[in-house]
Amino acid sequence: ALRSRPRAEYTLSTKVGRLLEPLPFADGDDLGNGFAVRATHRRVWDFSADGVRRSIDDSLVRLGTDRIDMVYLHDPDNHVAEAFGQAYPALERLRAEGVVGAIGAGMNQTTVLTRFLRDTDVDVVLCAGRHTLLDQSALAELLPEAAARGRSVVVGGVFNSGLLADPRPGATYDYRAAPPALLERALRIKAAAERHGVPLRAAAIAYPLRHPAVASVLVGTRSADEVQDAADMYSRTVPDALWDDLRAEGLLEGDAR
């Protein structure tokens, strides 16, 4: 889809740390382990320097380009030593060579991402689900650290896996069925947003962007309609009075402004 477009017209990012190795005999899928791909490949964690470079080289071939604008270390939670000792230095070298632009790490937690900000020269971190209307834990250390160092934060999971997109029985939160207490909280936030004429999805997208360290947000889309909806929600004006009401009702523990 992108090969015929001028390279300067778009920004391209990817992740490293997971490789897919083909298997001779397999069928079905691996959704039980969190991978929405057919079980024709073996999922391999690889944060070695060689694995990072191999992953980037393979991506360049598949994408038909000579550079990638942004690369994240993908969920190195259980591979922290290797990520800091091998994968990150490999990304630094690729950045120096001009093969990749900005480098960083993406995780569903804040502690290790804060360490990346303090101990390395990352340009950006991707924090999923920890700076949302239901979870403001990134405000404690991660976001202040990024702001103090002039680094960018991309906030993913702004809908917390779906609960903030459509709070109803059976909705998911952090990839699992949402607990009743969180469902009730999401419904109260939705009611407050609607009193101000704001869809909950618009409020969920707008909230993280209030912090000066947040450069952008990510939403998951499965169809052209969902892409259009996300763009529409992003363009909506959210009044400051909504945030004031959420704080007054005890529904918003922290805010950047």
Side-chain angles (χ1 to χ4, degrees):
L2 293 173
R3 286 184 186 186
S4 63
R5 297 181 180 272
R7 184 62 181 83
E9 287 189 357
Y10 60 89
T11 298
L12 179 67
S13 76
T14 188
K15 300 177 182 179
V16 294
R18 294 184 185 183
L19 299 176
L20 298 177
E21 296 182 351
L23 294 172
F25 303 103
D27 198 6
D29 61 43
D30 201 20
L31 281 172
N33 293 316
F35 293 92
V37 295
R38 292 181 60 81
T40 52
H41 288 69
R42 183 168 67 98
R43 263 56 62 176
V44 179
W45 291 100
D46 192 342
F47 289 97
S48 68
D50 178 67
V52 167
R53 185 170 285 273
R54 185 156 43 97
S55 181
I56 293 295
D57 287 344
D58 289 348
S59 289
L60 291 173
V61 171
R62 287 192 296 267
L63 293 165
T65 187
D66 61 353
R67 72 183 190 281
I68 296 172
D69 300 298
M70 191 180 308
V71 179
Y72 300 101
L73 299 176
H74 189 185
D75 290 343
D77 304 67
N78 299 319
H79 309 270
V80 171
E82 193 174 27
F84 279 93
Q86 293 196 44
Y88 171 75
L91 285 185
E92 268 202 342
R93 289 191 290 271
L94 287 165
R95 182 175 61 183
E97 295 168 10
V99 178
V100 304
I103 61 174
M107 306 177 75
N108 293 282
Q109 54 138 295
T110 62
T111 302
V112 176
L113 290 182
T114 303
R115 180 181 166 191
F116 270 106
L117 290 171
R118 289 173 176 162
D119 296 348
T120 73
D121 189 32
V122 291
D123 303 288
V124 59
V125 293
L126 195 170
C127 180
R130 305 285 77 87
H131 187 49
T132 73
L133 287 174
L134 290 172
D135 184 335
Q136 292 99 55
S137 54
L139 281 171
E141 290 188 289
L142 178 67
L143 290 171
E145 193 71 29
R149 295 176 180 272
R151 311 288 174 78
S152 295
V153 177
V154 174
V155 175
V158 296
F159 298 145
N160 280 124
S161 303
L163 183 57
L164 286 171
D166 183 15
R168 53 180 170 74
T172 52
Y173 175 86
D174 280 2
Y175 316 109
R176 297 178 177 86
L182 274 178
L183 173 58
E184 179 189 7
R185 188 179 183 91
L187 287 170
R188 291 177 63 196
I189 295 171
K190 178 182 180 181
E194 289 179 345
R195 287 197 297 271
H196 290 272
V198 176
L200 177 60
R201 299 186 307 286
I205 290 173
Y207 170 73
L209 291 166
R210 290 171 57 78
H211 196 284
V214 176
S216 63
V217 297
L218 302 179
V219 296
T221 58
R222 295 170 294 185
S223 66
D225 287 343
E226 290 188 356
V227 173
Q228 186 61 58
D229 181 76
D232 292 343
M233 293 300 103
Y234 173 75
S235 68
R236 297 289 291 262
T237 299
V238 180
D240 287 342
L242 171 58
W243 316 123
D244 296 336
D245 285 358
L246 292 177
R247 282 192 294 270
E249 294 183 36
L251 295 171
L252 191 61
E253 296 178 3
D255 198 2
R257 298 177 187 172

